Amino acid sequence: MHLAIGKTNRLLDKIYEGGGKKSVEKLHAQGKMTARERIEYLLDEGKPQLEVGAFAGYEMYAEHGGCPAGGVVVMIGYVRGRQCIVVANDATVKAGAWFPITGKKNLRAQEIAMENRLPIIYLVDSAGVYLPMQDEIFPDKEHFGRIFRNNARLSSAGIPQIAAIMGSCVAGGAYLPIMSDEALIVEGTGSVFLAGPYLVKAAIGEDVDQETLGGAATHSEISGVTDYKMPDDKTCLDTIKDLVDKMGRFETAGFDRQESRPAAGAPEDMFSIFPDSSGKPYDSLELLRRLVDGGELTQYKEHYGKTIICAYARIDGWAVGIVANNRQVVKNAKGEIQFGGVIYSDSADKATRFILNCNQKKIPLVFLHDVTGFMVGTRSEHGGIIKDGAKMVNAVANSTVPKFSVVLGNSYGAGNYAMCGKAYDPRLIVAWPTAKIAVMGGEQSAKVLTQIQVASLKKQGEAPDPKAEKELFEKIKNRYDAQTTPYYAAARLWVDAIIDPRDTRQWISMGIEAANNAVVEKFNPGVIQV
């Protein structure tokens, strides 16, 4: 685990460099701070921060020079003690241009703001859509234009939006700051216009410089587009702090919190409890005790459906309901062996009822994934595994209390859905460096796909010899394994972050604190056959 965390941190160090040293120096020469410097200055010193989507775009767009962190930095932190989400374009990466993953990451930031009623602060410094890939970022429902739709929805919901124009703000991107509640602009570096000087010349033949067309004086004194003219980056950020400081408070959801207590043992104990191989069993309860206050758990239906652990506990003082895959091999009441990490009918039934109870009592849910899927085979099918699995999925889908997912190890197939994968709207979903997310494991997938390809070749009278069959298996397995890594998932924002397991409590605690800003809707489970 230490080695896995070390690898993650080395990759993050590289990502934090953005477009590289020369690009940073060029930015500084213009009197501008980098995106990360701006965020560091804006957020309260000494308070915890959560970065969302640092691995976005990892190993993607190589033919375009790459896009570290998706060209935008998203951070949940505190401004004058108020929890906010900050979105800052990284102008060192293709001048802050929007790649497809940039749009997806911005939409994720807005989604977090909407779900949790978090004030959102945009630090704008972008050249607009990355034109070579405009067809993948411009026209579709989840593309660039959805961001402005969300601006309007956030404003309608009374969720504060503050935008600071600290660099270029061009074309469609100009709507983002102006659709926010308040807009600031920095003299000399900030500019906003629907069409820049070159396009204006091409379209209507007018010669105009950038500052006259859409600089700070123009929009603060003539057009009235912006609300505050700032002399430099730091003054701009200081003004944002003052604006946040005056905001009123939302009605809270009323989640229960007591004084925080440390978990049992040392955080590093998790490294020795969690195995070095995804196929090995381990003591899941002992792992949970390293995450919850005082190591104290009240298990629901402890002796029934043993391949899932359902328990009430506290994390950093917050009351939570935990749904965790039990990776130990157990015996059911009939003395039958049940494999750890597999969801059986009795486990699904137990988890469904527990999720319903947590919704009834307004207790946030925490899902800890290490699941290989639902049990298969004749006995399971005859026992109604599909029906019981559907009940659990239904309960997760209709749950109205906030859900938080942590992928510890495997998260395969329908098990990912039942344990509240990304498709089921967890408020936050993070992965340990040991996570694997896929339809099934690499070896199983390779066997299935190899069998299909061999059968196809046999039909054509070209059955491969054992050596060729083995080579085919290894080729498929290697490709599949590469797609199950947490880095592959994080690059595509299937998870919000890859985290050090020792930071799990902080992610959950700050997530619940954010969720407490939004009143919980009445729970309506729909039709659940019991």
Side-chain angles (χ1 to χ4, degrees):
M1 186 68 83
H2 277 292
L3 289 171
I5 293 168
K7 176 183 177 180
T8 300
N9 289 336
R10 286 194 301 274
L11 292 174
L12 285 172
D13 286 342
K14 183 66 177 174
I15 288 168
Y16 294 159
E17 293 175 4
K21 188 177 178 181
K22 286 186 178 179
S23 296
V24 172
E25 289 173 350
K26 183 179 177 182
L27 215 62
H28 286 164
Q30 297 170 1
K32 295 162 70 174
M33 302 163 75
T34 66
R36 293 186 182 277
E37 288 168 345
R38 287 167 175 167
I39 291 175
E40 183 181 2
Y41 186 84
L42 177 64
L43 295 180
D44 294 349
E45 189 176 354
K47 295 278 280 184
Q49 301 173 6
L50 305 178
E51 181 169 357
V52 175
F55 279 99
Y58 174 69
E59 291 190 336
M60 296 169 66
Y61 314 121
E63 67 276 23
H64 298 280
C67 187
V72 62
V73 183
V74 174
M75 198 81 72
I76 302 173
Y78 299 85
V79 178
R80 295 284 174 89
R82 177 72 173 255
Q83 198 176 37
C84 300
I85 186 161
V86 184
V87 180
N89 299 112
D90 187 349
T92 70
V93 180
K94 292 285 192 299
W98 292 62
F99 282 70
I101 198 67
T102 316
K104 187 173 182 179
K105 186 170 174 179
N106 274 265
L107 289 171
R108 176 60 178 146
Q110 290 181 320
E111 181 182 41
I112 292 170
M114 282 191 278
E115 286 182 330
N116 302 290
R117 297 188 67 82
L118 283 183
I120 185 165
I121 300 166
Y122 307 100
L123 307 180
V124 185
D125 194 346
S126 172
V129 166
Y130 184 61
L131 291 177
M133 302 186 75
Q134 64 85 25
D135 60 323
E136 297 180 49
I137 179 64
F138 170 67
D140 211 344
K141 181 178 178 180
E142 299 301 328
H143 284 178
F144 191 69
R146 187 79 169 185
I147 292 163
F148 314 134
R149 175 262 191 193
N150 286 350
N151 284 139
R153 295 295 295 271
L154 283 157
S155 183
S156 174
I159 300 167
Q161 298 175 87
I162 297 173
I165 301 163
M166 308 181 82
S168 296
C169 191
V170 185
Y175 287 107
L176 184 147
I178 310 312
M179 291 187 73
S180 298
D181 300 305
E182 294 181 283
L184 306 87
I185 188 167
V186 179
E187 290 184 274
T189 55
S191 59
V192 55
F193 32 64
L194 292 182
Y198 293 121
L199 185 54
V200 168
K201 175 68 175 176
I204 63 173
E206 180 184 356
D207 285 306
V208 62
D209 64 86
Q210 182 165 301
E211 193 65 25
T212 303
L213 183 64
T218 293
H219 286 308
S220 297
E221 301 169 20
I222 301 172
S223 72
V225 164
T226 57
D227 306 306
Y228 307 91
K229 183 172 71 171
M230 300 286 107
D232 52 45
D233 279 11
K234 287 190 175 181
T235 306
C236 181
L237 297 169
D238 285 332
T239 304
I240 292 173
K241 294 178 187 181
D242 289 338
L243 293 173
V244 173
D245 188 51
K246 311 301 186 298
M247 288 180 185
R249 299 284 169 176
F250 296 124
E251 179 186 355
T252 66
F255 301 130
D256 188 66
R257 191 178 197 184
Q258 295 182 359
E259 186 176 346
S260 177
R261 292 181 294 148
E268 287 77 12
D269 291 350
M270 289 187 286
F271 296 0
S272 57
I273 296 170
F274 197 84
D276 59 350
S277 169
S278 61
K280 292 181 181 178
Y282 58 90
D283 193 331
S284 302
L285 274 173
E286 281 303 309
L287 192 71
L288 291 180
R289 291 190 177 105
R290 287 352 184 244
L291 291 173
V292 303
D293 291 12
E296 297 170 4
L297 298 148
T298 302
Q299 286 199 64
Y300 174 79
K301 291 185 181 287
E302 179 179 355
H303 304 292
Y304 176 73
K306 295 180 182 178
T307 64
I308 282 185
I309 296 169
C310 296
Y312 299 106
R314 290 189 182 274
I315 292 178
D316 196 25
W318 293 105
V320 295
I322 293 174
V323 181
N325 302 113
N326 186 3
R327 283 306 306 266
Q328 290 186 306
V329 176
V330 298
K331 287 185 179 181
N332 63 17
K334 299 176 183 178
E336 298 166 335
I337 296 292
Q338 293 186 328
F339 299 105
V342 179
I343 302 176
Y344 291 76
S345 284
D346 54 357
S347 305
D349 177 67
K350 167 180 161 178
T352 299
R353 293 171 183 269
F354 181 72
I355 291 165
L356 299 180
N357 285 349
C358 287
N359 274 271
Q360 187 78 3
K361 295 187 283 188
K362 205 157 69 171
I363 301 173
L365 284 159
V366 176
F367 293 84
L368 300 173
H369 298 220
D370 198 349
V371 58
T372 52
F374 285 87
M375 191 59 189
V376 297
T378 305
R379 177 178 292 185
S380 292
E381 297 293 357
H382 289 184
I385 186 66
I386 294 176
K387 172 174 65 70
D388 291 316
K391 287 192 301 184
M392 185 175 174
V393 170
N394 191 322
V396 172
N398 283 295
S399 176
T400 57
V401 294
K403 306 182 292 282
F404 301 89
S405 288
V406 184
V407 185
L408 314 182
N410 303 318
S411 188
Y412 292 156
N416 172 275
Y417 302 158
M419 293 296 293
C420 194
K422 183 65 183 291
Y424 288 79
D425 297 324
R427 296 294 177 95
L428 293 172
I429 177 169
V430 296
W432 286 8
T434 45
K436 294 182 179 180
I437 301 172
V439 172
M440 62 180 76
E443 188 161 339
Q444 296 93 325
S445 298
K447 284 179 180 177
V448 171
L449 292 171
T450 301
Q451 289 170 9
I452 291 170
Q453 291 201 25
V454 168
S456 176
L457 289 169
K458 283 181 178 178
K459 281 185 179 179
Q460 301 170 27
E462 302 175 13
D465 58 49
K467 183 181 178 182
E469 189 173 327
K470 185 178 179 182
E471 288 175 354
L472 178 62
F473 170 82
E474 290 297 331
K475 182 180 177 182
I476 295 171
K477 182 178 181 298
N478 290 339
R479 185 181 74 241
Y480 207 90
D481 284 344
Q483 294 177 355
T484 64
T485 69
Y487 303 104
Y488 192 91
R492 290 153 182 80
L493 290 174
W494 300 346
V495 295
D496 293 317
I498 301 172
I499 67 169
D500 185 322
R502 293 168 292 192
D503 295 334
T504 306
R505 279 170 53 89
Q506 180 175 297
W507 271 86
I508 295 169
S509 177
M510 283 186 66
I512 298 174
E513 181 184 347
N516 202 36
N517 291 312
V519 177
V520 176
E521 298 175 12
K522 184 178 179 182
F523 179 59
N524 182 358
V527 179
I528 297 182
Q529 297 178 348
V530 295

